[in-house]
Amino acid sequence: MSRYESIDKILKVSIKFYLTQLVDISLNQRARGEKEMGNCISGDVGGGKQAIGGVQGRPTANNNAGHNDAVDHFFRARGQNPLFTQIELSISASKLRDRDITSKSDPMTILYVKKRDGTLEELGRTEVILNSLNPAWIEKINVAYQFEIVQHLVFRIYDVDTKFQGIPVKALKLNEQEFLGEATCVLSEIVTKRNRSLTLNLHSRNGPGGSRNLGTLTVHAEENFSSRMAVEMKLRCSQLDNKDMFSKSDPFLRISRLLESGNSVPICKTEVINNNLYPVWRPLYLSMQQFGSKDNPLLIECFDFNSNGDHALIGKLQKSVSELEELYKDRSGANLVFPSSRGQEKVLKGQLFVDEFIEKVQFSFLDYISSGFELNFMVAIDFTASNGNPRNPDSLHYIDPSRRLNSYQQAIMEVGEVIQFYDSDRRFPAWGFGGRAYDGTVSHCFNLNGMNAHEVEGVEGIMAAYANALHNVTLAGPTLFGHVINTAAQIAGQTISNDITKYFVLLIITDGVLTDMQETMEALVRASDLPLSILIVGVGDADFKQMEILDADNGHRLESSTGRLATRDIVQFVPMREVYSCRISVVQALLEELPGQFLSYMRSRDIKPVNA
Amino acid sequence: MESKSRTLEITILSGEDLRIDNKSVKKNAFVDVSIDPFNCKTTKMDGEGGSNPSWNDKLVMDMPMQTRFITLAVKCKASSGEKTVGLARIPVTDFIGGYSPETCLQFLSYRLRDPKGLKNGIINVSVRVKEPLHACSSQAAAGLGIPIDGRNDFGVVTGIPIWSGYPSNSFFR
């Protein structure tokens, strides 16, 4: 019951977000429309004409179309985003302490999430199990898994007194119950476990270390979705009505899911095909989460694109996914209808055809992670002179004796503490660039720890090597990324021949303007086919326009001087100054796209989770 | 003894935003792949994709050791005959001697240029060099879902890439 409620809530939110999305798209169109008056021959698709929601993350398809803040919201609102998955936690415990005199304890677990400020927020309670010291609770507790955040969980077990039996668990006052123990962990620790189960020792409120054995608690995580099934369809129409005065219609399809309430929620739209009454759209990719079930009716509307956002309906029809499959099998078309004024529907000549229908299995990020796939973390730090003398308090590299972290340390900590859970050996390559290194020459990729081995242990290891390097390395220049990217790409390239379960994440922290923009672009284009993502954090007040070019979020693929293009977007950039200006960590924004980039790589190669 | 050529598996995947005289290509786009004037292969014609055709056509070709470029010519068949949409030249070094071993499946994308040299769309391909002596881990290519139990235990034999065994000048003869 509670699950249906939450679906309903998600749908309501998604309608709201869809409205915002429409507004965003039409604003975008207006802006683009004005711009394009001047240069009408542009290679890219005009704003708002892209396909949304049905585009699979494939490197070889033009999948940049989906990158749009409004669309991200739209996805997120539906709980659809691969980074935002509902997880169901099952909890059991063993060897709990016995607090009752005549019988055994009657335990219940409460799950909290610890927020950044240290306060606890209750996420849910299990039922009370009577008379058991080894309870396995049936009631599951839902948590929204977010890759980009370290989610600290606190489990507390109470013995519920017999006199409160029959009272709903939500209403129980905890100060009237007997405390049996607590356990803490991070959500990532559970999902990265092979069987997605983690056993924790229970301890008293004062934290671990007490001598008394309070038993253990086991958490098991299961992703909460109906199916991994998805369909890929190629749709086309014939004999569409003409809606434009001077040319033919510019048709696109919008597909919505019909709800029992009679409302509909848009789930995807195709790209616009200009001036064509027989349009063929690129393949659509719909997941089970989007269409609900194969028998759920979908509303398919065909519109004539209008740049002012007022798209004219050409015709519509209702078909479920299984009916669309029938159309495909019979190679037959379905007629579009047009609602006329008297509430009747006029059957049009225009027809919809399904030229291709493929059912696919779509694995989630967590499917890979829990089957042993890893994210391997690497760091490169800018030692160019523009950072300022590290002994000087206004230097970006200044290490505050009061232990307040500088921007470099902050970026290492924030990214590192999220990613470390996905790297089993926690040995991270750490480099510096643009500094006069230990041997006296300027190097654009030197080992941060000053030794021959580039790996350091843990995030603490990176922090120590960084602090140490500041004493031994003289800041120099210029700012070159090429060497670092090459080194990281070589490591990633060497690994794929014998291990397909590793994906690399290179964090570059820099204060400045690149000297080797062209070399960097070439290296990125060549590296775009590797299991590698590059996160760039800009510190200080420099103008980071260049970095925005490297981060291909605007839909342009990076291009080398020889005409080779990046097969996918592997760079994410954020300026650190935004960290101070807003409450939400910008590092989160940096990490958000990682699971998507990981999936686009794995899916393009048809690499499946182990044992799947 | 080493052979003087190797087998190239090139899959012409898709094209994006193809135009002729600034008008989107409607249908019948195809690709000529040539290693040299006597060694060409042609993909099937795309009937449905319009200006964003998808071919997914795997061509297996012999590539002499001294080959330095592969030329892709996207063409379009119309009533008036064949027209060239755009060309792309793939340097062999883009997939041999790159970051990843050439025996693994590599995806490559190129900007096309029309006969006047102007930018015209994009072509996406995947390439694999077949080296029977050197095992490749690419699941997609091998079509195997090998269950891996130990994370680092793959029983891998380290091999020296075949091409490094050739005299280096044989590349540029």
Side-chain angles (χ1 to χ4, degrees), chain A residues 40-74:
Chain A
C40 44
I41 319 151
S42 70
D44 55 331
V45 200
K49 290 194 174 181
Q50 316 94 320
I52 291 171
V55 189
Q56 192 193 1
R58 272 187 307 196
T60 45
N62 184 6
N63 60 356
N64 300 320
H67 283 291
N68 168 321
D69 284 345
V71 177
D72 284 349
H73 283 304
F74 178 56

mmCIF file of all heavy atoms in Angstrom, chain A residues 40-74:
data_model
loop_
_atom_site.group_PDB
_atom_site.id
_atom_site.type_symbol
_atom_site.label_atom_id
_atom_site.label_comp_id
_atom_site.label_asym_id
_atom_site.label_seq_id
_atom_site.Cartn_x
_atom_site.Cartn_y
_atom_site.Cartn_z
ATOM 1 N N CYS A 40 21.863 30.408 -39.846
ATOM 2 C CA CYS A 40 20.828 29.390 -39.934
ATOM 3 C C CYS A 40 21.400 28.011 -40.265
ATOM 4 O O CYS A 40 20.759 27.010 -40.069
ATOM 5 C CB CYS A 40 19.768 29.772 -40.949
ATOM 6 S SG CYS A 40 20.447 30.415 -42.450
ATOM 7 N N ILE A 41 22.625 27.951 -40.734
ATOM 8 C CA ILE A 41 23.185 26.637 -41.048
ATOM 9 C C ILE A 41 24.045 26.189 -39.891
ATOM 10 O O ILE A 41 25.244 26.374 -39.882
ATOM 11 C CB ILE A 41 24.056 26.673 -42.308
ATOM 12 C CG1 ILE A 41 23.402 27.536 -43.371
ATOM 13 C CG2 ILE A 41 24.321 25.278 -42.822
ATOM 14 C CD1 ILE A 41 24.382 28.182 -44.305
ATOM 15 N N SER A 42 23.403 25.659 -38.883
ATOM 16 C CA SER A 42 24.229 25.156 -37.797
ATOM 17 C C SER A 42 24.062 23.661 -37.751
ATOM 18 O O SER A 42 23.007 23.122 -38.071
ATOM 19 C CB SER A 42 23.818 25.792 -36.472
ATOM 20 O OG SER A 42 22.578 25.303 -36.087
ATOM 21 N N GLY A 43 25.117 23.001 -37.363
ATOM 22 C CA GLY A 43 25.106 21.545 -37.403
ATOM 23 C C GLY A 43 24.220 20.924 -36.340
ATOM 24 O O GLY A 43 23.733 19.831 -36.494
ATOM 25 N N ASP A 44 24.007 21.653 -35.260
ATOM 26 C CA ASP A 44 23.289 21.015 -34.166
ATOM 27 C C ASP A 44 21.788 21.209 -34.278
ATOM 28 O O ASP A 44 21.304 22.034 -35.026
ATOM 29 C CB ASP A 44 23.807 21.540 -32.817
ATOM 30 C CG ASP A 44 23.718 23.038 -32.750
ATOM 31 O OD1 ASP A 44 23.802 23.661 -33.822
ATOM 32 O OD2 ASP A 44 23.545 23.575 -31.652
ATOM 33 N N VAL A 45 21.103 20.424 -33.488
ATOM 34 C CA VAL A 45 19.654 20.479 -33.519
ATOM 35 C C VAL A 45 19.190 21.734 -32.783
ATOM 36 O O VAL A 45 19.745 22.090 -31.757
ATOM 37 C CB VAL A 45 19.078 19.246 -32.805
ATOM 38 C CG1 VAL A 45 17.657 19.015 -33.233
ATOM 39 C CG2 VAL A 45 19.928 18.038 -33.070
ATOM 40 N N GLY A 46 18.176 22.383 -33.282
ATOM 41 C CA GLY A 46 17.674 23.582 -32.628
ATOM 42 C C GLY A 46 17.103 23.262 -31.267
ATOM 43 O O GLY A 46 16.678 22.158 -31.007
ATOM 44 N N GLY A 47 17.101 24.246 -30.381
ATOM 45 C CA GLY A 47 16.637 24.022 -29.023
ATOM 46 C C GLY A 47 15.225 23.488 -28.997
ATOM 47 O O GLY A 47 14.368 23.937 -29.739
ATOM 48 N N GLY A 48 14.982 22.525 -28.131
ATOM 49 C CA GLY A 48 13.635 22.002 -27.981
ATOM 50 C C GLY A 48 13.275 20.968 -29.027
ATOM 51 O O GLY A 48 12.256 20.313 -28.923
ATOM 52 N N LYS A 49 14.121 20.807 -30.025
ATOM 53 C CA LYS A 49 13.777 19.826 -31.051
ATOM 54 C C LYS A 49 14.371 18.460 -30.746
ATOM 55 O O LYS A 49 14.189 17.519 -31.484
ATOM 56 C CB LYS A 49 14.281 20.302 -32.421
ATOM 57 C CG LYS A 49 13.505 21.492 -32.937
ATOM 58 C CD LYS A 49 13.797 21.721 -34.407
ATOM 59 C CE LYS A 49 12.935 22.814 -34.972
ATOM 60 N NZ LYS A 49 13.200 23.020 -36.394
ATOM 61 N N GLN A 50 15.129 18.385 -29.658
ATOM 62 C CA GLN A 50 15.783 17.118 -29.352
ATOM 63 C C GLN A 50 14.789 16.114 -28.788
ATOM 64 O O GLN A 50 13.737 16.474 -28.293
ATOM 65 C CB GLN A 50 16.897 17.277 -28.302
ATOM 66 C CG GLN A 50 17.806 18.432 -28.488
ATOM 67 C CD GLN A 50 17.335 19.620 -27.705
ATOM 68 O OE1 GLN A 50 16.144 19.897 -27.628
ATOM 69 N NE2 GLN A 50 18.271 20.339 -27.132
ATOM 70 N N ALA A 51 15.216 14.881 -28.862
ATOM 71 C CA ALA A 51 14.428 13.833 -28.221
ATOM 72 C C ALA A 51 14.727 13.839 -26.735
ATOM 73 O O ALA A 51 15.846 14.104 -26.334
ATOM 74 C CB ALA A 51 14.799 12.481 -28.822
ATOM 75 N N ILE A 52 13.723 13.567 -25.942
ATOM 76 C CA ILE A 52 13.919 13.561 -24.494
ATOM 77 C C ILE A 52 13.261 12.339 -23.893
ATOM 78 O O ILE A 52 12.140 11.988 -24.254
ATOM 79 C CB ILE A 52 13.326 14.834 -23.866
ATOM 80 C CG1 ILE A 52 14.162 16.040 -24.288
ATOM 81 C CG2 ILE A 52 13.269 14.735 -22.352
ATOM 82 C CD1 ILE A 52 13.561 17.343 -23.916
ATOM 83 N N GLY A 53 13.971 11.708 -23.012
ATOM 84 C CA GLY A 53 13.360 10.650 -22.214
ATOM 85 C C GLY A 53 13.401 9.285 -22.868
ATOM 86 O O GLY A 53 13.274 8.289 -22.208
ATOM 87 N N GLY A 54 13.599 9.233 -24.157
ATOM 88 C CA GLY A 54 13.605 7.928 -24.804
ATOM 89 C C GLY A 54 14.953 7.626 -25.420
ATOM 90 O O GLY A 54 15.085 6.754 -26.246
ATOM 91 N N VAL A 55 15.959 8.415 -25.009
ATOM 92 C CA VAL A 55 17.265 8.249 -25.613
ATOM 93 C C VAL A 55 18.120 7.384 -24.719
ATOM 94 O O VAL A 55 18.288 7.663 -23.545
ATOM 95 C CB VAL A 55 17.950 9.611 -25.809
ATOM 96 C CG1 VAL A 55 19.206 9.441 -26.631
ATOM 97 C CG2 VAL A 55 17.001 10.580 -26.469
ATOM 98 N N GLN A 56 18.663 6.353 -25.279
ATOM 99 C CA GLN A 56 19.519 5.482 -24.501
ATOM 100 C C GLN A 56 20.907 6.081 -24.462
ATOM 101 O O GLN A 56 21.343 6.717 -25.397
ATOM 102 C CB GLN A 56 19.568 4.111 -25.171
ATOM 103 C CG GLN A 56 20.183 3.065 -24.291
ATOM 104 C CD GLN A 56 20.514 1.825 -25.077
ATOM 105 O OE1 GLN A 56 20.290 1.764 -26.268
ATOM 106 N NE2 GLN A 56 21.060 0.850 -24.393
ATOM 107 N N GLY A 57 21.567 5.866 -23.334
ATOM 108 C CA GLY A 57 22.918 6.406 -23.215
ATOM 109 C C GLY A 57 23.889 5.595 -24.048
ATOM 110 O O GLY A 57 24.515 4.667 -23.567
ATOM 111 N N ARG A 58 23.997 5.918 -25.296
ATOM 112 C CA ARG A 58 24.927 5.201 -26.151
ATOM 113 C C ARG A 58 25.961 6.178 -26.641
ATOM 114 O O ARG A 58 25.643 7.290 -26.993
ATOM 115 C CB ARG A 58 24.189 4.640 -27.369
ATOM 116 C CG ARG A 58 23.603 3.295 -27.129
ATOM 117 C CD ARG A 58 23.047 2.760 -28.400
ATOM 118 N NE ARG A 58 22.133 3.718 -29.013
ATOM 119 C CZ ARG A 58 21.278 3.391 -29.957
ATOM 120 N NH1 ARG A 58 21.217 2.176 -30.382
ATOM 121 N NH2 ARG A 58 20.488 4.295 -30.466
ATOM 122 N N PRO A 59 27.203 5.770 -26.677
ATOM 123 C CA PRO A 59 28.218 6.721 -27.075
ATOM 124 C C PRO A 59 28.104 7.054 -28.553
ATOM 125 O O PRO A 59 28.465 8.125 -28.988
ATOM 126 C CB PRO A 59 29.517 5.982 -26.794
ATOM 127 C CG PRO A 59 29.163 4.547 -26.835
ATOM 128 C CD PRO A 59 27.750 4.446 -26.423
ATOM 129 N N THR A 60 27.608 6.128 -29.317
ATOM 130 C CA THR A 60 27.626 6.354 -30.750
ATOM 131 C C THR A 60 26.374 7.055 -31.232
ATOM 132 O O THR A 60 26.322 7.533 -32.340
ATOM 133 C CB THR A 60 27.771 5.017 -31.486
ATOM 134 O OG1 THR A 60 26.873 4.099 -30.873
ATOM 135 C CG2 THR A 60 29.177 4.499 -31.353
ATOM 136 N N ALA A 61 25.382 7.117 -30.399
ATOM 137 C CA ALA A 61 24.215 7.885 -30.799
ATOM 138 C C ALA A 61 24.419 9.295 -30.267
ATOM 139 O O ALA A 61 25.185 9.513 -29.349
ATOM 140 C CB ALA A 61 22.961 7.291 -30.191
ATOM 141 N N ASN A 62 23.749 10.234 -30.841
ATOM 142 C CA ASN A 62 23.906 11.592 -30.355
ATOM 143 C C ASN A 62 23.085 11.729 -29.088
ATOM 144 O O ASN A 62 21.956 12.169 -29.105
ATOM 145 C CB ASN A 62 23.441 12.576 -31.426
ATOM 146 C CG ASN A 62 23.692 13.988 -30.984
ATOM 147 O OD1 ASN A 62 24.296 14.216 -29.945
ATOM 148 N ND2 ASN A 62 23.229 14.917 -31.775
ATOM 149 N N ASN A 63 23.688 11.313 -27.980
ATOM 150 C CA ASN A 63 22.903 11.264 -26.754
ATOM 151 C C ASN A 63 23.052 12.527 -25.923
ATOM 152 O O ASN A 63 22.610 12.607 -24.813
ATOM 153 C CB ASN A 63 23.278 10.031 -25.936
ATOM 154 C CG ASN A 63 24.734 10.046 -25.553
ATOM 155 O OD1 ASN A 63 25.465 10.944 -25.970
ATOM 156 N ND2 ASN A 63 25.157 9.092 -24.777
ATOM 157 N N ASN A 64 23.705 13.523 -26.496
ATOM 158 C CA ASN A 64 23.872 14.753 -25.730
ATOM 159 C C ASN A 64 22.559 15.490 -25.588
ATOM 160 O O ASN A 64 22.407 16.349 -24.751
ATOM 161 C CB ASN A 64 24.864 15.660 -26.423
ATOM 162 C CG ASN A 64 26.204 14.984 -26.535
ATOM 163 O OD1 ASN A 64 26.622 14.328 -25.603
ATOM 164 N ND2 ASN A 64 26.837 15.116 -27.674
ATOM 165 N N ALA A 65 21.636 15.131 -26.451
ATOM 166 C CA ALA A 65 20.369 15.841 -26.456
ATOM 167 C C ALA A 65 19.696 15.813 -25.092
ATOM 168 O O ALA A 65 19.012 16.740 -24.724
ATOM 169 C CB ALA A 65 19.462 15.216 -27.501
ATOM 170 N N GLY A 66 19.919 14.745 -24.372
ATOM 171 C CA GLY A 66 19.239 14.621 -23.096
ATOM 172 C C GLY A 66 19.774 15.531 -22.001
ATOM 173 O O GLY A 66 19.145 15.678 -20.972
ATOM 174 N N HIS A 67 20.923 16.128 -22.209
ATOM 175 C CA HIS A 67 21.515 16.916 -21.139
ATOM 176 C C HIS A 67 20.908 18.295 -21.063
ATOM 177 O O HIS A 67 21.170 19.161 -21.872
ATOM 178 C CB HIS A 67 23.020 17.006 -21.324
ATOM 179 C CG HIS A 67 23.694 15.752 -20.918
ATOM 180 N ND1 HIS A 67 23.767 15.345 -19.618
ATOM 181 C CD2 HIS A 67 24.270 14.792 -21.653
ATOM 182 C CE1 HIS A 67 24.391 14.195 -19.565
ATOM 183 N NE2 HIS A 67 24.693 13.832 -20.791
ATOM 184 N N ASN A 68 20.093 18.465 -20.104
ATOM 185 C CA ASN A 68 19.336 19.682 -19.977
ATOM 186 C C ASN A 68 18.848 19.655 -18.540
ATOM 187 O O ASN A 68 18.359 18.645 -18.066
ATOM 188 C CB ASN A 68 18.189 19.579 -20.992
ATOM 189 C CG ASN A 68 17.146 20.615 -20.824
ATOM 190 O OD1 ASN A 68 16.768 20.988 -19.711
ATOM 191 N ND2 ASN A 68 16.649 21.101 -21.930
ATOM 192 N N ASP A 69 19.029 20.758 -17.861
ATOM 193 C CA ASP A 69 18.708 20.758 -16.437
ATOM 194 C C ASP A 69 17.262 20.368 -16.171
ATOM 195 O O ASP A 69 16.953 19.609 -15.274
ATOM 196 C CB ASP A 69 18.971 22.140 -15.827
ATOM 197 C CG ASP A 69 20.465 22.354 -15.636
ATOM 198 O OD1 ASP A 69 21.188 21.343 -15.701
ATOM 199 O OD2 ASP A 69 20.874 23.501 -15.451
ATOM 200 N N ALA A 70 16.387 20.915 -17.022
ATOM 201 C CA ALA A 70 14.973 20.632 -16.830
ATOM 202 C C ALA A 70 14.709 19.146 -16.964
ATOM 203 O O ALA A 70 13.935 18.563 -16.208
ATOM 204 C CB ALA A 70 14.149 21.405 -17.840
ATOM 205 N N VAL A 71 15.386 18.550 -17.936
ATOM 206 C CA VAL A 71 15.178 17.126 -18.150
ATOM 207 C C VAL A 71 15.708 16.335 -16.960
ATOM 208 O O VAL A 71 15.107 15.370 -16.517
ATOM 209 C CB VAL A 71 15.875 16.671 -19.442
ATOM 210 C CG1 VAL A 71 15.717 15.182 -19.622
ATOM 211 C CG2 VAL A 71 15.289 17.404 -20.620
ATOM 212 N N ASP A 72 16.846 16.797 -16.432
ATOM 213 C CA ASP A 72 17.391 16.126 -15.255
ATOM 214 C C ASP A 72 16.383 16.140 -14.115
ATOM 215 O O ASP A 72 16.168 15.142 -13.452
ATOM 216 C CB ASP A 72 18.690 16.804 -14.808
ATOM 217 C CG ASP A 72 19.841 16.414 -15.714
ATOM 218 O OD1 ASP A 72 19.646 15.488 -16.524
ATOM 219 O OD2 ASP A 72 20.896 17.041 -15.622
ATOM 220 N N HIS A 73 15.762 17.292 -13.921
ATOM 221 C CA HIS A 73 14.740 17.385 -12.881
ATOM 222 C C HIS A 73 13.605 16.414 -13.166
ATOM 223 O O HIS A 73 13.097 15.742 -12.301
ATOM 224 C CB HIS A 73 14.154 18.797 -12.843
ATOM 225 C CG HIS A 73 15.061 19.770 -12.176
ATOM 226 N ND1 HIS A 73 15.531 19.576 -10.912
ATOM 227 C CD2 HIS A 73 15.576 20.938 -12.605
ATOM 228 C CE1 HIS A 73 16.312 20.583 -10.587
ATOM 229 N NE2 HIS A 73 16.370 21.421 -11.601
ATOM 230 N N PHE A 74 13.250 16.405 -14.448
ATOM 231 C CA PHE A 74 12.152 15.582 -14.906
ATOM 232 C C PHE A 74 12.435 14.121 -14.572
ATOM 233 O O PHE A 74 11.622 13.423 -13.968
ATOM 234 C CB PHE A 74 12.024 15.802 -16.403
ATOM 235 C CG PHE A 74 10.951 14.998 -17.071
ATOM 236 C CD1 PHE A 74 9.639 15.074 -16.635
ATOM 237 C CD2 PHE A 74 11.253 14.206 -18.160
ATOM 238 C CE1 PHE A 74 8.661 14.355 -17.270
ATOM 239 C CE2 PHE A 74 10.274 13.484 -18.796
ATOM 240 C CZ PHE A 74 8.986 13.555 -18.349
#
